[in-house]
Amino acid sequence: MSLAKLTQTLTERRAEFVYEAARLAAIAANAPVIPLPWVDRERPFKEQFLKVIKRQCGLNRSESPEKLHADWVQAYLKMGWVYGEKYDPSRRTHPDIVPYYDLGQLERDKDAVFLALCEIARKYIYA
């Protein structure tokens, strides 16, 4: 195991697990947007994601995919992303920057999988 892995905080370990597992689920579902590997994500994204995981593994976690999606949209808007028909990281456009009920079933399922992965991380990844 690398030294970096040994020095990760509990929240960092949980975040990497949730992110990579959700990424694998997107690949398996043949989703139109496949996120980059965790190690390749930019710092602002990782910082906001760590906050989400900390909240989702704590007492104030949300059980609503709709609420989590709305929070995700707000986080992306804060990072300078806008709606675009195609996912384009260089232009910061994303097709999922829409209200939850305008998402297709696959994207709504991804949100439910994300919630389930957060719950697994909360229960089974600990200090």
Side-chain angles (χ1 to χ4, degrees):
M1 182 177 291
S2 73
L3 181 58
K5 290 280 185 194
L6 290 173
T7 61
Q8 280 184 314
T9 67
L10 177 59
T11 300
E12 289 168 336
R13 288 188 294 126
R14 286 172 167 170
E16 188 172 354
F17 163 78
V18 170
Y19 182 88
E20 287 297 339
R23 186 175 170 279
L24 287 173
I27 291 168
N30 202 23
V33 175
I34 306 297
L36 293 171
W38 177 256
V39 297
D40 296 332
R41 291 307 302 250
E42 63 281 4
R43 181 179 297 272
F45 174 85
K46 286 183 176 181
E47 288 172 357
Q48 68 82 27
F49 196 82
L50 287 165
K51 289 176 187 172
V52 170
I53 298 304
K54 187 171 185 171
R55 186 189 69 229
Q56 283 304 113
C57 291
L59 296 176
N60 294 321
R61 64 188 166 275
S62 174
E63 295 181 13
S64 165
E66 298 93 342
K67 170 82 169 93
L68 283 177
H69 179 74
D71 291 347
W72 175 87
V73 167
Q74 289 306 308
Y76 263 63
L77 292 173
K78 274 185 169 178
M79 291 187 293
W81 287 73
V82 296
Y83 170 80
E85 287 188 25
K86 293 190 178 192
Y87 175 73
D88 185 341
S90 63
R91 289 189 162 154
R92 293 187 175 258
T93 60
H94 202 300
D96 297 338
I97 298 179
V98 296
Y100 179 80
Y101 290 102
D102 289 344
L103 292 172
Q105 187 61 50
L106 177 61
E107 294 306 314
R108 283 181 278 170
D109 289 347
K110 277 178 39 182
D111 289 339
V113 167
F114 178 81
L115 270 176
L117 290 169
C118 288
E119 194 61 9
I120 290 167
R122 183 182 73 79
K123 287 181 176 180
Y124 302 110
I125 299 174
Y126 42 84

